[in-house]
C-alpha cells in the first residue's frame, strides 16, 4: 500500500511525503524513522529522531542501535542523549554547519537474528548573522563630530555563546 500525504499550514506552505506499507509474515523487524527521509536543521537546534517498527510492536528481543556518519565515516562524539532506544537525540552545537549527515537506525531481533535498518539524511544549514546597532538604526552627528557605532549586541547564531 502506498500513501501520499500533504500537510499545509495557514500560510499556504505545504509539505508532502509518500509512505509505503508492506504487510509481512514472521518476526522480522521492519524499522522506520518517522518524518521526511531528508531534512535540514540549524546547528543551534537539537536533533531529535524517532524510530518505530512497522506492523508490529517492539519486544524485549529487539536490540536497537543508531549511527551517524559524515562522508561514510562515523562521527565521534555524536552519542544520543535519549534513554529511549527508539529515539535519537543530539544536543545543539554537536554537528557542524554545512555538512550532510546520514543517521541510521538498526534493529536486530535477537531471537530470530533478523535485522532491519533505515536511514535519513540531515543537512546542517548556516544561520543568519543577527546585527544589532546600539542607539537604533537612525543616529545623528554634528558636522566634524565623531560617531561610534556599537554592534556588540550582534551575534552569529552558528557560534555557541559562552
Amino acid at each position: 500500500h502506498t500513501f501520499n500525504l500533504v500537510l499545509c499550514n495557514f500560510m499556504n506552505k505545504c509539505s508532502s511525503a509518500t509512505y509505503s506499507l508492506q504487510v509481512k509474515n514472521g518476526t522480522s523487524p521492519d524499522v522506520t524513522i518517522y518524518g521526511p527521509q531528508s531534512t535540514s536543521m540549524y546547528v543551534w537546534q537539537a536533533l531529535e529522531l524517532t524510530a518505530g517498527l512497522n506492523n508490529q510492536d517492539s519486544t524485549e528481543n529487539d536490540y536497537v542501535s543508531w549511527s551517524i556518519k559524515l562522508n561514510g565515516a562515523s562521527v565521534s562524539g555524536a552519542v544520543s542523549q535519549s534513554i529511549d532506544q527508539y529515539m535519537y537525540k543530539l544536543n545543539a552545537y554537536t554537528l557542524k554547519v554545512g555538512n550532510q549527515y546520514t543517521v541510521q537506525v538498526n534493529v536486530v531481533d535477537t531471537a530470530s537474528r533478523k535485522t532491519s535498518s533505515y536511514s535519513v539524511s540531515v543537512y546542517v544549514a548556516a544561520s543568519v548573522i543577527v546585527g544589532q546597532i546600539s542607539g537604533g538604526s537612525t543616529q545623528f552627528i554634528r558636522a566634524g563630530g565623531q560617531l561610534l557605532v556599537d554592534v556588540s549586541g550582534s551575534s552569529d547564531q552558528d557560534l555557541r555563546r559562552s
Side-chain angles (χ1 to χ4, degrees):
H1 305 285
T2 301
F3 299 93
N4 294 314
L5 305 171
V6 177
L7 179 64
C8 298
N9 67 14
F10 68 95
M11 296 181 66
N12 241 1
K13 297 290 182 180
C14 299
S15 180
S16 64
T18 301
Y19 294 94
S20 296
L21 177 68
Q22 184 179 27
V23 178
K24 294 182 175 182
N25 293 328
T27 60
S28 180
D30 184 20
V31 70
T32 190
I33 298 173
Y34 301 121
Q37 202 160 16
S38 181
T39 190
S40 63
M41 60 176 286
Y42 296 109
V43 70
W44 47 266
Q45 294 175 310
L47 174 64
E48 293 187 12
L49 299 172
T50 303
L53 296 176
N54 295 319
N55 301 332
Q56 68 188 62
D57 294 327
S58 59
T59 69
E60 66 277 353
N61 295 330
D62 295 337
Y63 173 76
V64 181
S65 63
W66 292 82
S67 64
I68 184 165
K69 294 183 178 182
L70 175 63
N71 299 323
S74 293
V75 177
S76 63
V79 178
S80 177
Q81 302 301 304
S82 176
I83 59 171
D84 181 347
Q85 67 177 349
Y86 283 95
M87 186 169 283
Y88 187 76
K89 287 185 180 184
L90 286 182
N91 293 330
Y93 298 99
T94 301
L95 303 177
K96 304 291 182 213
V97 173
N99 289 323
Q100 182 99 24
Y101 295 90
T102 301
V103 182
Q104 182 171 314
V105 62
N106 301 294
V107 178
V108 178
D109 182 326
T110 57
S112 68
R113 300 282 188 219
K114 293 183 179 179
T115 65
S116 178
S117 64
Y118 191 89
S119 63
V120 295
S121 178
V122 178
Y123 177 73
V124 183
S127 301
V128 297
I129 294 178
V130 179
Q132 185 174 354
I133 300 171
S134 294
S137 60
T138 304
Q139 298 185 22
F140 299 94
I141 186 171
R142 293 182 185 206
Q146 292 183 345
L147 175 65
L148 175 64
V149 179
D150 179 4
V151 294
S152 61
S154 299
S155 63
D156 182 346
Q157 292 179 319
D158 290 338
L159 301 177
R160 183 187 298 226
R161 295 181 189 186
S162 307

